[in-house]
PDB file of all heavy atoms in Angstrom:
ATOM      1  N   LEU C   1       6.619 -17.543 -14.291  1.00  0.00           N
ATOM      2  CA  LEU C   1       6.417 -16.147 -14.516  1.00  0.00           C
ATOM      3  C   LEU C   1       7.779 -15.493 -14.684  1.00  0.00           C
ATOM      4  O   LEU C   1       8.746 -15.811 -14.067  1.00  0.00           O
ATOM      5  CB  LEU C   1       5.631 -15.490 -13.308  1.00  0.00           C
ATOM      6  CG  LEU C   1       4.258 -16.018 -12.983  1.00  0.00           C
ATOM      7  CD1 LEU C   1       3.758 -15.311 -11.763  1.00  0.00           C
ATOM      8  CD2 LEU C   1       3.319 -15.762 -14.172  1.00  0.00           C
ATOM      9  N   SER C   2       7.739 -14.495 -15.598  1.00  0.00           N
ATOM     10  CA  SER C   2       8.968 -13.684 -15.828  1.00  0.00           C
ATOM     11  C   SER C   2       9.314 -12.855 -14.655  1.00  0.00           C
ATOM     12  O   SER C   2       8.481 -12.681 -13.720  1.00  0.00           O
ATOM     13  CB  SER C   2       8.863 -12.853 -17.059  1.00  0.00           C
ATOM     14  OG  SER C   2       7.940 -11.742 -16.823  1.00  0.00           O
ATOM     15  N   GLY C   3      10.540 -12.450 -14.584  1.00  0.00           N
ATOM     16  CA  GLY C   3      11.012 -11.580 -13.520  1.00  0.00           C
ATOM     17  C   GLY C   3      10.215 -10.282 -13.404  1.00  0.00           C
ATOM     18  O   GLY C   3       9.849  -9.735 -12.353  1.00  0.00           O
ATOM     19  N   TYR C   4       9.841  -9.800 -14.600  1.00  0.00           N
ATOM     20  CA  TYR C   4       9.081  -8.442 -14.627  1.00  0.00           C
ATOM     21  C   TYR C   4       7.670  -8.776 -14.058  1.00  0.00           C
ATOM     22  O   TYR C   4       7.152  -7.860 -13.402  1.00  0.00           O
ATOM     23  CB  TYR C   4       8.974  -8.051 -16.145  1.00  0.00           C
ATOM     24  CG  TYR C   4       8.048  -6.927 -16.270  1.00  0.00           C
ATOM     25  CD1 TYR C   4       8.299  -5.586 -15.910  1.00  0.00           C
ATOM     26  CD2 TYR C   4       6.762  -7.121 -16.839  1.00  0.00           C
ATOM     27  CE1 TYR C   4       7.474  -4.608 -16.075  1.00  0.00           C
ATOM     28  CE2 TYR C   4       5.896  -6.077 -17.047  1.00  0.00           C
ATOM     29  CZ  TYR C   4       6.225  -4.862 -16.600  1.00  0.00           C
ATOM     30  OH  TYR C   4       5.285  -3.818 -16.765  1.00  0.00           O
ATOM     31  N   GLU C   5       7.110  -9.872 -14.474  1.00  0.00           N
ATOM     32  CA  GLU C   5       5.761 -10.208 -13.928  1.00  0.00           C
ATOM     33  C   GLU C   5       5.738 -10.373 -12.388  1.00  0.00           C
ATOM     34  O   GLU C   5       4.874  -9.926 -11.749  1.00  0.00           O
ATOM     35  CB  GLU C   5       5.179 -11.414 -14.632  1.00  0.00           C
ATOM     36  CG  GLU C   5       3.776 -11.824 -14.252  1.00  0.00           C
ATOM     37  CD  GLU C   5       2.734 -10.836 -14.762  1.00  0.00           C
ATOM     38  OE1 GLU C   5       2.940 -10.025 -15.627  1.00  0.00           O
ATOM     39  OE2 GLU C   5       1.611 -10.896 -14.144  1.00  0.00           O
ATOM     40  N   GLN C   6       6.724 -11.099 -11.934  1.00  0.00           N
ATOM     41  CA  GLN C   6       6.823 -11.302 -10.475  1.00  0.00           C
ATOM     42  C   GLN C   6       6.968  -9.920  -9.776  1.00  0.00           C
ATOM     43  O   GLN C   6       6.411  -9.720  -8.731  1.00  0.00           O
ATOM     44  CB  GLN C   6       7.938 -12.211 -10.140  1.00  0.00           C
ATOM     45  CG  GLN C   6       7.748 -13.587 -10.542  1.00  0.00           C
ATOM     46  CD  GLN C   6       8.898 -14.449 -10.300  1.00  0.00           C
ATOM     47  OE1 GLN C   6       9.955 -14.146  -9.736  1.00  0.00           O
ATOM     48  NE2 GLN C   6       8.759 -15.826 -10.588  1.00  0.00           N
ATOM     49  N   GLU C   7       7.820  -8.999 -10.324  1.00  0.00           N
ATOM     50  CA  GLU C   7       8.037  -7.729  -9.762  1.00  0.00           C
ATOM     51  C   GLU C   7       6.759  -6.897  -9.767  1.00  0.00           C
ATOM     52  O   GLU C   7       6.425  -6.182  -8.803  1.00  0.00           O
ATOM     53  CB  GLU C   7       9.104  -6.998 -10.500  1.00  0.00           C
ATOM     54  CG  GLU C   7       9.479  -5.627  -9.947  1.00  0.00           C
ATOM     55  CD  GLU C   7      10.550  -4.951 -10.715  1.00  0.00           C
ATOM     56  OE1 GLU C   7      11.529  -5.655 -11.244  1.00  0.00           O
ATOM     57  OE2 GLU C   7      10.527  -3.737 -10.840  1.00  0.00           O
ATOM     58  N   ARG C   8       6.002  -6.971 -10.866  1.00  0.00           N
ATOM     59  CA  ARG C   8       4.725  -6.274 -11.011  1.00  0.00           C
ATOM     60  C   ARG C   8       3.705  -6.762  -9.951  1.00  0.00           C
ATOM     61  O   ARG C   8       3.003  -5.977  -9.327  1.00  0.00           O
ATOM     62  CB  ARG C   8       4.178  -6.468 -12.358  1.00  0.00           C
ATOM     63  CG  ARG C   8       3.042  -5.562 -12.596  1.00  0.00           C
ATOM     64  CD  ARG C   8       2.329  -5.810 -13.992  1.00  0.00           C
ATOM     65  NE  ARG C   8       1.728  -7.168 -14.160  1.00  0.00           N
ATOM     66  CZ  ARG C   8       0.574  -7.530 -13.509  1.00  0.00           C
ATOM     67  NH1 ARG C   8      -0.203  -6.576 -12.881  1.00  0.00           N
ATOM     68  NH2 ARG C   8       0.030  -8.645 -13.639  1.00  0.00           N
ATOM     69  N   LEU C   9       3.687  -8.054  -9.690  1.00  0.00           N
ATOM     70  CA  LEU C   9       2.735  -8.603  -8.753  1.00  0.00           C
ATOM     71  C   LEU C   9       3.157  -8.157  -7.350  1.00  0.00           C
ATOM     72  O   LEU C   9       2.290  -7.758  -6.497  1.00  0.00           O
ATOM     73  CB  LEU C   9       2.800 -10.130  -8.818  1.00  0.00           C
ATOM     74  CG  LEU C   9       2.158 -10.801 -10.029  1.00  0.00           C
ATOM     75  CD1 LEU C   9       2.340 -12.307  -9.967  1.00  0.00           C
ATOM     76  CD2 LEU C   9       0.671 -10.521 -10.013  1.00  0.00           C
ATOM     77  N   ALA C  10       4.454  -8.067  -7.017  1.00  0.00           N
ATOM     78  CA  ALA C  10       4.944  -7.656  -5.729  1.00  0.00           C
ATOM     79  C   ALA C  10       4.496  -6.176  -5.477  1.00  0.00           C
ATOM     80  O   ALA C  10       4.201  -5.781  -4.456  1.00  0.00           O
ATOM     81  CB  ALA C  10       6.426  -7.915  -5.633  1.00  0.00           C
ATOM     82  N   GLN C  11       4.732  -5.367  -6.499  1.00  0.00           N
ATOM     83  CA  GLN C  11       4.486  -3.924  -6.441  1.00  0.00           C
ATOM     84  C   GLN C  11       2.959  -3.712  -6.269  1.00  0.00           C
ATOM     85  O   GLN C  11       2.544  -2.901  -5.445  1.00  0.00           O
ATOM     86  CB  GLN C  11       4.959  -3.192  -7.578  1.00  0.00           C
ATOM     87  CG  GLN C  11       6.436  -3.111  -7.746  1.00  0.00           C
ATOM     88  CD  GLN C  11       6.904  -2.406  -9.034  1.00  0.00           C
ATOM     89  OE1 GLN C  11       6.117  -2.296 -10.031  1.00  0.00           O
ATOM     90  NE2 GLN C  11       8.146  -2.038  -9.057  1.00  0.00           N
ATOM     91  N   LYS C  12       2.164  -4.452  -6.974  1.00  0.00           N
ATOM     92  CA  LYS C  12       0.695  -4.344  -6.862  1.00  0.00           C
ATOM     93  C   LYS C  12       0.222  -4.747  -5.519  1.00  0.00           C
ATOM     94  O   LYS C  12      -0.586  -4.064  -4.840  1.00  0.00           O
ATOM     95  CB  LYS C  12       0.042  -5.293  -7.860  1.00  0.00           C
ATOM     96  CG  LYS C  12      -1.542  -5.102  -8.009  1.00  0.00           C
ATOM     97  CD  LYS C  12      -2.054  -5.970  -9.125  1.00  0.00           C
ATOM     98  CE  LYS C  12      -3.531  -5.914  -9.131  1.00  0.00           C
ATOM     99  NZ  LYS C  12      -4.183  -6.703 -10.186  1.00  0.00           N
ATOM    100  N   TYR C  13       0.785  -5.777  -4.934  1.00  0.00           N
ATOM    101  CA  TYR C  13       0.505  -6.290  -3.628  1.00  0.00           C
ATOM    102  C   TYR C  13       0.903  -5.299  -2.567  1.00  0.00           C
ATOM    103  O   TYR C  13       0.150  -4.889  -1.677  1.00  0.00           O
ATOM    104  CB  TYR C  13       1.107  -7.655  -3.331  1.00  0.00           C
ATOM    105  CG  TYR C  13       0.801  -8.114  -1.949  1.00  0.00           C
ATOM    106  CD1 TYR C  13      -0.416  -8.857  -1.750  1.00  0.00           C
ATOM    107  CD2 TYR C  13       1.712  -8.025  -0.888  1.00  0.00           C
ATOM    108  CE1 TYR C  13      -0.720  -9.344  -0.506  1.00  0.00           C
ATOM    109  CE2 TYR C  13       1.391  -8.608   0.331  1.00  0.00           C
ATOM    110  CZ  TYR C  13       0.196  -9.215   0.529  1.00  0.00           C
ATOM    111  OH  TYR C  13      -0.110  -9.691   1.795  1.00  0.00           O
ATOM    112  N   ALA C  14       2.083  -4.714  -2.696  1.00  0.00           N
ATOM    113  CA  ALA C  14       2.561  -3.702  -1.728  1.00  0.00           C
ATOM    114  C   ALA C  14       1.755  -2.483  -1.785  1.00  0.00           C
ATOM    115  O   ALA C  14       1.389  -1.906  -0.729  1.00  0.00           O
ATOM    116  CB  ALA C  14       4.032  -3.383  -2.041  1.00  0.00           C
ATOM    117  N   ALA C  15       1.372  -2.073  -3.003  1.00  0.00           N
ATOM    118  CA  ALA C  15       0.497  -0.798  -3.100  1.00  0.00           C
ATOM    119  C   ALA C  15      -0.862  -1.037  -2.434  1.00  0.00           C
ATOM    120  O   ALA C  15      -1.444  -0.163  -1.877  1.00  0.00           O
ATOM    121  CB  ALA C  15       0.390  -0.402  -4.618  1.00  0.00           C
ATOM    122  N   ALA C  16      -1.393  -2.219  -2.650  1.00  0.00           N
ATOM    123  CA  ALA C  16      -2.740  -2.480  -2.102  1.00  0.00           C
ATOM    124  C   ALA C  16      -2.736  -2.597  -0.587  1.00  0.00           C
ATOM    125  O   ALA C  16      -3.728  -2.335   0.010  1.00  0.00           O
ATOM    126  CB  ALA C  16      -3.299  -3.779  -2.756  1.00  0.00           C
ATOM    127  N   HIS C  17      -1.639  -2.992   0.021  1.00  0.00           N
ATOM    128  CA  HIS C  17      -1.690  -3.291   1.423  1.00  0.00           C
ATOM    129  C   HIS C  17      -0.943  -2.286   2.297  1.00  0.00           C
ATOM    130  O   HIS C  17      -1.396  -2.080   3.500  1.00  0.00           O
ATOM    131  CB  HIS C  17      -1.146  -4.658   1.692  1.00  0.00           C
ATOM    132  CG  HIS C  17      -1.986  -5.797   1.225  1.00  0.00           C
ATOM    133  ND1 HIS C  17      -2.101  -6.147  -0.018  1.00  0.00           N
ATOM    134  CD2 HIS C  17      -2.865  -6.561   1.902  1.00  0.00           C
ATOM    135  CE1 HIS C  17      -3.005  -7.102  -0.259  1.00  0.00           C
ATOM    136  NE2 HIS C  17      -3.461  -7.395   0.972  1.00  0.00           N
ATOM    137  N   THR C  18      -0.028  -1.508   1.806  1.00  0.00           N
ATOM    138  CA  THR C  18       0.678  -0.583   2.568  1.00  0.00           C
ATOM    139  C   THR C  18      -0.078   0.788   2.727  1.00  0.00           C
ATOM    140  O   THR C  18      -0.001   1.439   3.756  1.00  0.00           O
ATOM    141  CB  THR C  18       2.091  -0.263   2.108  1.00  0.00           C
ATOM    142  OG1 THR C  18       2.036   0.097   0.688  1.00  0.00           O
ATOM    143  CG2 THR C  18       2.961  -1.507   2.242  1.00  0.00           C
ATOM    144  N   ASP C  19      -0.861   1.093   1.658  1.00  0.00           N
ATOM    145  CA  ASP C  19      -1.611   2.360   1.786  1.00  0.00           C
ATOM    146  C   ASP C  19      -2.609   2.322   2.893  1.00  0.00           C
ATOM    147  O   ASP C  19      -2.828   3.398   3.641  1.00  0.00           O
ATOM    148  CB  ASP C  19      -2.329   2.733   0.427  1.00  0.00           C
ATOM    149  CG  ASP C  19      -1.286   2.947  -0.657  1.00  0.00           C
ATOM    150  OD1 ASP C  19      -0.151   3.357  -0.356  1.00  0.00           O
ATOM    151  OD2 ASP C  19      -1.684   2.798  -1.823  1.00  0.00           O
ATOM    152  N   VAL C  20      -3.295   1.274   3.095  1.00  0.00           N
ATOM    153  CA  VAL C  20      -4.288   1.146   4.094  1.00  0.00           C
ATOM    154  C   VAL C  20      -3.717   1.204   5.445  1.00  0.00           C
ATOM    155  O   VAL C  20      -4.141   1.889   6.342  1.00  0.00           O
ATOM    156  CB  VAL C  20      -5.111  -0.194   3.936  1.00  0.00           C
ATOM    157  CG1 VAL C  20      -6.045  -0.345   5.133  1.00  0.00           C
ATOM    158  CG2 VAL C  20      -5.961  -0.153   2.639  1.00  0.00           C
ATOM    159  N   ASN C  21      -2.638   0.498   5.661  1.00  0.00           N
ATOM    160  CA  ASN C  21      -1.937   0.487   6.964  1.00  0.00           C
ATOM    161  C   ASN C  21      -1.380   1.917   7.284  1.00  0.00           C
ATOM    162  O   ASN C  21      -1.508   2.357   8.436  1.00  0.00           O
ATOM    163  CB  ASN C  21      -0.842  -0.544   6.997  1.00  0.00           C
ATOM    164  CG  ASN C  21      -1.366  -1.962   6.992  1.00  0.00           C
ATOM    165  OD1 ASN C  21      -2.580  -2.115   7.446  1.00  0.00           O
ATOM    166  ND2 ASN C  21      -0.667  -2.842   6.498  1.00  0.00           N
ATOM    167  N   ALA C  22      -0.789   2.547   6.336  1.00  0.00           N
ATOM    168  CA  ALA C  22      -0.278   3.808   6.570  1.00  0.00           C
ATOM    169  C   ALA C  22      -1.369   4.898   6.777  1.00  0.00           C
ATOM    170  O   ALA C  22      -1.296   5.753   7.742  1.00  0.00           O
ATOM    171  CB  ALA C  22       0.577   4.410   5.341  1.00  0.00           C
ATOM    172  N   ALA C  23      -2.512   4.711   6.158  1.00  0.00           N
ATOM    173  CA  ALA C  23      -3.698   5.629   6.390  1.00  0.00           C
ATOM    174  C   ALA C  23      -4.319   5.426   7.729  1.00  0.00           C
ATOM    175  O   ALA C  23      -4.748   6.338   8.385  1.00  0.00           O
ATOM    176  CB  ALA C  23      -4.596   5.479   5.203  1.00  0.00           C
ATOM    177  N   LEU C  24      -4.297   4.189   8.178  1.00  0.00           N
ATOM    178  CA  LEU C  24      -4.845   3.816   9.456  1.00  0.00           C
ATOM    179  C   LEU C  24      -3.963   4.456  10.602  1.00  0.00           C
ATOM    180  O   LEU C  24      -4.503   4.850  11.582  1.00  0.00           O
ATOM    181  CB  LEU C  24      -4.997   2.319   9.704  1.00  0.00           C
ATOM    182  CG  LEU C  24      -6.169   1.714   8.968  1.00  0.00           C
ATOM    183  CD1 LEU C  24      -6.079   0.213   9.106  1.00  0.00           C
ATOM    184  CD2 LEU C  24      -7.531   2.212   9.519  1.00  0.00           C
ATOM    185  N   GLU C  25      -2.653   4.381  10.441  1.00  0.00           N
ATOM    186  CA  GLU C  25      -1.769   4.937  11.359  1.00  0.00           C
ATOM    187  C   GLU C  25      -1.729   6.408  11.398  1.00  0.00           C
ATOM    188  O   GLU C  25      -1.371   7.026  12.354  1.00  0.00           O
ATOM    189  CB  GLU C  25      -0.343   4.366  11.259  1.00  0.00           C
ATOM    190  CG  GLU C  25      -0.311   2.794  11.349  1.00  0.00           C
ATOM    191  CD  GLU C  25      -0.854   2.260  12.655  1.00  0.00           C
ATOM    192  OE1 GLU C  25      -0.670   2.997  13.677  1.00  0.00           O
ATOM    193  OE2 GLU C  25      -1.522   1.242  12.656  1.00  0.00           O
ATOM    194  N   LYS C  26      -2.013   7.099  10.316  1.00  0.00           N
ATOM    195  CA  LYS C  26      -1.873   8.496  10.188  1.00  0.00           C
ATOM    196  C   LYS C  26      -3.203   9.229  10.577  1.00  0.00           C
ATOM    197  O   LYS C  26      -4.227   9.116   9.806  1.00  0.00           O
ATOM    198  CB  LYS C  26      -1.490   8.894   8.758  1.00  0.00           C
ATOM    199  CG  LYS C  26      -1.338  10.321   8.509  1.00  0.00           C
ATOM    200  CD  LYS C  26      -1.069  10.619   7.013  1.00  0.00           C
ATOM    201  CE  LYS C  26      -1.381  11.956   6.654  1.00  0.00           C
ATOM    202  NZ  LYS C  26      -1.410  12.205   5.258  1.00  0.00           N
ATOM    203  N   LYS C  27      -3.242   9.895  11.720  1.00  0.00           N
ATOM    204  CA  LYS C  27      -4.413  10.642  12.080  1.00  0.00           C
ATOM    205  C   LYS C  27      -4.410  11.995  11.322  1.00  0.00           C
ATOM    206  O   LYS C  27      -3.373  12.563  11.291  1.00  0.00           O
ATOM    207  CB  LYS C  27      -4.318  10.859  13.593  1.00  0.00           C
ATOM    208  CG  LYS C  27      -5.600  11.260  14.286  1.00  0.00           C
ATOM    209  CD  LYS C  27      -5.458  11.233  15.669  1.00  0.00           C
ATOM    210  CE  LYS C  27      -6.674  11.462  16.434  1.00  0.00           C
ATOM    211  NZ  LYS C  27      -6.556  11.487  17.812  1.00  0.00           N
ATOM    212  N   PRO C  28      -5.489  12.357  10.726  1.00  0.00           N
ATOM    213  CA  PRO C  28      -5.509  13.578   9.948  1.00  0.00           C
ATOM    214  C   PRO C  28      -4.982  14.812  10.669  1.00  0.00           C
ATOM    215  O   PRO C  28      -4.091  15.475  10.236  1.00  0.00           O
ATOM    216  CB  PRO C  28      -6.911  13.746   9.423  1.00  0.00           C
ATOM    217  CG  PRO C  28      -7.796  12.831  10.300  1.00  0.00           C
ATOM    218  CD  PRO C  28      -6.852  11.706  10.852  1.00  0.00           C
ATOM    219  N   TRP C  29      -5.613  15.100  11.733  1.00  0.00           N
ATOM    220  CA  TRP C  29      -5.163  16.155  12.695  1.00  0.00           C
ATOM    221  C   TRP C  29      -6.026  16.145  13.911  1.00  0.00           C
ATOM    222  O   TRP C  29      -7.051  15.350  13.909  1.00  0.00           O
ATOM    223  CB  TRP C  29      -5.222  17.526  12.111  1.00  0.00           C
ATOM    224  CG  TRP C  29      -6.500  17.894  11.430  1.00  0.00           C
ATOM    225  CD1 TRP C  29      -7.653  18.184  12.066  1.00  0.00           C
ATOM    226  CD2 TRP C  29      -6.759  18.163  10.042  1.00  0.00           C
ATOM    227  NE1 TRP C  29      -8.640  18.562  11.197  1.00  0.00           N
ATOM    228  CE2 TRP C  29      -8.181  18.499   9.920  1.00  0.00           C
ATOM    229  CE3 TRP C  29      -6.049  18.033   8.961  1.00  0.00           C
ATOM    230  CZ2 TRP C  29      -8.782  18.740   8.771  1.00  0.00           C
ATOM    231  CZ3 TRP C  29      -6.725  18.303   7.750  1.00  0.00           C
ATOM    232  CH2 TRP C  29      -8.008  18.602   7.606  1.00  0.00           C
ATOM    233  N   SER C  30      -5.711  16.745  14.901  1.00  0.00           N
ATOM    234  CA  SER C  30      -6.397  16.637  16.154  1.00  0.00           C
ATOM    235  C   SER C  30      -7.844  17.199  16.041  1.00  0.00           C
ATOM    236  O   SER C  30      -8.057  18.390  15.665  1.00  0.00           O
ATOM    237  CB  SER C  30      -5.686  17.424  17.243  1.00  0.00           C
ATOM    238  OG  SER C  30      -6.462  17.479  18.427  1.00  0.00           O
ATOM    239  N   PRO C  31      -8.841  16.437  16.300  1.00  0.00           N
ATOM    240  CA  PRO C  31     -10.242  16.918  16.247  1.00  0.00           C
ATOM    241  C   PRO C  31     -10.545  17.952  17.304  1.00  0.00           C
ATOM    242  O   PRO C  31     -11.498  18.717  17.163  1.00  0.00           O
ATOM    243  CB  PRO C  31     -11.038  15.677  16.418  1.00  0.00           C
ATOM    244  CG  PRO C  31     -10.265  14.743  17.067  1.00  0.00           C
ATOM    245  CD  PRO C  31      -8.860  15.075  16.706  1.00  0.00           C
ATOM    246  N   ILE C  32      -9.800  18.031  18.330  1.00  0.00           N
ATOM    247  CA  ILE C  32     -10.022  19.032  19.368  1.00  0.00           C
ATOM    248  C   ILE C  32      -9.699  20.419  18.800  1.00  0.00           C
ATOM    249  O   ILE C  32     -10.307  21.401  19.059  1.00  0.00           O
ATOM    250  CB  ILE C  32      -9.227  18.696  20.623  1.00  0.00           C
ATOM    251  CG1 ILE C  32      -9.782  17.430  21.236  1.00  0.00           C
ATOM    252  CG2 ILE C  32      -9.255  19.929  21.624  1.00  0.00           C
ATOM    253  CD1 ILE C  32      -9.018  16.965  22.477  1.00  0.00           C
TER     254      ILE C  32
END
């Protein structure tokens, strides 16, 4: 694979996995 293709795969993987973890850790606001 070209360097561009490897970079694109890494970015796609990071985007798919970091958003969920960040969203799980971020509580919207206090329900109380």
Side-chain angles (χ1 to χ4, degrees):
L1 299 175
S2 68
Y4 172 75
E5 182 68 18
Q6 290 178 359
E7 184 180 326
R8 190 186 65 77
L9 290 173
Q11 288 174 349
K12 184 176 178 182
Y13 181 81
H17 289 79
T18 55
D19 292 340
V20 171
N21 292 332
L24 284 172
E25 300 302 323
K26 180 184 158 193
K27 196 173 187 178
W29 53 68
S30 175
I32 293 176

